[in-house]
Amino acid sequence: MSLSLLEQLIESLRVLPGVGQKTAQRMAYHLLEREREGGKRLAETLGVALEKIGHCAMCRDFTESEICATCASASRDRHQLCAVESPADRLAIEQATGYRGLYFILQGRLSPLDGIGPRELGLDALAARLAEGEITEMIIATNPTVEGEATAHYLAQLARQHRVRPSRLAHGVPLGGELEYVDRGTLSHAFGSRSEMT
Amino acid sequence: MSLSLLEQLIESLRVLPGVGQKTAQRMAYHLLEREREGGKRLAETLGVALEKIGHCAMCRDFTESEICATCASASRDRHQLCAVESPADRLAIEQATGYRGLYFILQGRLSPLDGIGPRELGLDALAARLAEGEITEMIIATNPTVEGEATAHYLAQLARQHRVRPSRLAHGVPLGGELEYVDRGTLSHAFGSRSEMT
Ligand SMILES: [Zn+2]
Ligand SMILES: [Zn+2]
């Protein structure tokens, strides 16, 4: 017996992250009962977005243009470049900080065992850009994982080769975090990186 | 400044129940980074589903046909009819019990203040169906809320008028529930409805 349209809809909603059978059912009923207009808009926008959204030729962020709005903006500081692993990381920094420079989205991290090397992260293009001389500081904001750290060291070396100053985010005890619940590695690092109180 | 396609996608995902800004972002990135094919299928299925899915002429459940698969099935018991408030309630009963009879989905409950009366719940059609004489038992499975109870009483009266036996689900302490955490109304009802142990 073939699936009914409702069953197909529930099945296809499960492609969303964190959405299992129960949640997919609830979503399908919600759309059919109360949000037919919003659901139609979602169907159309999703179709167009998946067809048109590609990567910015400069920073590799998602965009439907050749160059994304940030890279094309005249009001951003073109001397600073912040390297992040993913578009979500870029968005987190953009929303949480007052950073007004440019970005470079690696779309991953160095992982030789998975076949992800400098080429896959677009580092040849990044090197060419650093060589142009406009960028003076590269803020390296990869994640504090083993692979993220290895990527950070590679990027720092690349920056120095082009006389660009590499910098990285401070690690330590999160604001509002209680020492008791901070993981040992972070606590050890924070202790070792203590600064004098003035 | 107009919204980018990515921003439009994030915005349109928020039509889903329980999906706020953060979750919508995560969903959009997930689809763009890892599930473009599944996302396209979702867009297409959602568009078709919202266009084609209507209500079954017999039971008012969602279906893309004139009559739903359950109502059209030759293997269901046509003497039992279970009345529920919503398609989700119908699905819960179908999945949890061995019920093999038919359903009637009210698509709501009596709520005079909201302008929802017998006509809005399709009770004229239900009465006509009860009058045909094929149904012998109507299992009333409305929710145990004030409006659900009022609806249940109305339905029971309608059933008796057509010499159909009304029945309702048992209420009481949930299996595995601890008395300490059962709400007072339920506990009081369960206590009053106690049965002799044999
Ligand atoms: Zn860009
Ligand atoms: Zn039906």
Side-chain angles (χ1 to χ4, degrees):
Chain A
M1 203 174 107
S2 67
L3 292 180
S4 72
L5 253 179
L6 177 60
E7 287 166 327
Q8 288 175 44
L9 174 58
I10 291 169
E11 188 56 38
S12 64
L13 281 163
R14 295 188 58 182
V15 79
L16 297 170
V19 174
Q21 179 70 15
K22 272 274 178 191
T23 307
Q25 278 173 17
R26 200 161 51 86
M27 287 176 165
Y29 285 132
H30 179 84
L31 292 173
L32 286 165
E33 284 167 15
R34 282 186 289 275
E35 282 285 7
R36 291 207 174 218
E37 280 316 304
K40 274 181 200 163
R41 255 193 325 273
L42 170 57
E44 284 157 21
T45 309
L46 179 57
V48 174
L50 289 172
E51 193 189 327
K52 307 253 188 206
I53 293 180
H55 297 288
C56 171
M58 281 185 76
C59 74
R60 293 164 56 96
D61 195 10
F62 289 125
T63 179
E64 70 265 34
S65 316
E66 171 77 8
I67 304 289
C68 78
T70 302
C71 288
S73 167
S75 70
R76 309 285 304 204
D77 181 345
R78 308 193 84 78
H79 301 301
Q80 288 182 306
L81 187 74
C82 178
V84 293
E85 292 182 19
S86 72
D89 292 342
R90 177 210 168 280
L91 190 63
I93 289 175
E94 186 71 8
Q95 292 177 337
T97 74
Y99 180 63
R100 296 295 302 161
L102 301 177
Y103 292 94
F104 187 82
I105 288 94
L106 300 165
Q107 300 282 2
R109 62 199 95 173
L110 290 177
S111 181
L113 292 178
D114 301 317
I116 300 176
R119 179 187 298 272
E120 283 68 31
L121 302 185
L123 299 192
D124 38 359
L126 177 61
R129 196 151 154 212
L130 295 179
E132 288 170 12
E134 195 173 30
I135 294 157
T136 55
E137 179 187 5
M138 179 153 74
I139 301 161
I140 300 169
T142 53
N143 287 307
T145 59
V146 173
E147 290 173 342
E149 290 289 301
T151 308
H153 282 109
Y154 190 99
L155 289 174
Q157 215 165 14
L158 192 68
R160 286 189 207 99
Q161 277 169 20
H162 294 90
R163 293 168 219 272
V164 170
R165 185 161 45 92
S167 64
R168 62 187 302 188
L169 304 196
H171 292 309
V173 178
L175 289 184
E178 293 189 62
L179 290 192
E180 186 179 350
Y181 300 113
V182 172
D183 71 278
R184 285 175 58 172
T186 300
L187 191 52
S188 163
H189 174 90
F191 193 86
S193 308
R194 66 192 178 278
S195 61
E196 199 171 345
M197 296 176 71
T198 53
Chain B
M1 204 174 107
S2 68
L3 292 180
S4 72
L5 254 179
L6 176 60
E7 288 166 327
Q8 288 174 44
L9 174 57
I10 291 168
E11 188 56 37
S12 65
L13 280 163
R14 295 189 57 181
V15 78
L16 297 170
V19 174
Q21 179 70 14
K22 273 273 178 191
T23 306
Q25 279 174 15
R26 202 160 49 86
M27 287 177 164
Y29 285 132
H30 178 84
L31 292 172
L32 287 166
E33 284 167 15
R34 282 186 288 276
E35 283 285 5
R36 291 208 173 216
E37 280 315 305
K40 274 181 200 162
R41 255 193 326 272
L42 171 57
E44 285 157 21
T45 309
L46 180 56
V48 174
L50 288 172
E51 192 188 327
K52 306 253 188 205
I53 294 179
H55 296 287
C56 170
M58 281 186 76
C59 74
R60 292 164 57 98
D61 195 8
F62 288 125
T63 179
E64 70 264 36
S65 316
E66 171 77 8
I67 303 290
C68 78
T70 303
C71 287
S73 167
S75 70
R76 308 286 303 205
D77 180 345
R78 310 193 82 78
H79 301 301
Q80 288 182 306
L81 187 75
C82 178
V84 294
E85 291 182 19
S86 72
D89 292 342
R90 177 209 168 282
L91 190 63
I93 289 174
E94 186 72 8
Q95 292 177 336
T97 74
Y99 180 63
R100 298 292 301 159
L102 300 176
Y103 292 94
F104 187 82
I105 289 92
L106 300 164
Q107 300 283 2
R109 63 199 93 172
L110 290 176
S111 181
L113 292 180
D114 301 316
I116 301 177
R119 178 187 298 271
E120 283 68 32
L121 302 184
L123 299 192
D124 37 358
L126 177 61
R129 194 151 155 212
L130 295 179
E132 288 170 10
E134 197 173 27
I135 295 158
T136 56
E137 179 187 5
M138 180 153 73
I139 301 161
I140 300 168
T142 52
N143 287 307
T145 59
V146 172
E147 290 174 341
E149 290 290 300
T151 308
H153 282 109
Y154 190 99
L155 289 174
Q157 216 165 15
L158 192 68
R160 286 190 206 97
Q161 279 167 19
H162 294 91
R163 293 168 220 272
V164 170
R165 186 162 43 92
S167 65
R168 63 187 302 187
L169 305 195
H171 292 309
V173 178
L175 290 182
E178 293 189 62
L179 290 193
E180 185 178 354
Y181 299 113
V182 172
D183 72 277
R184 283 175 61 170
T186 300
L187 191 52
S188 161
H189 173 90
F191 194 85
S193 308
R194 66 191 178 278
S195 61
E196 199 172 344
M197 296 177 71
T198 53

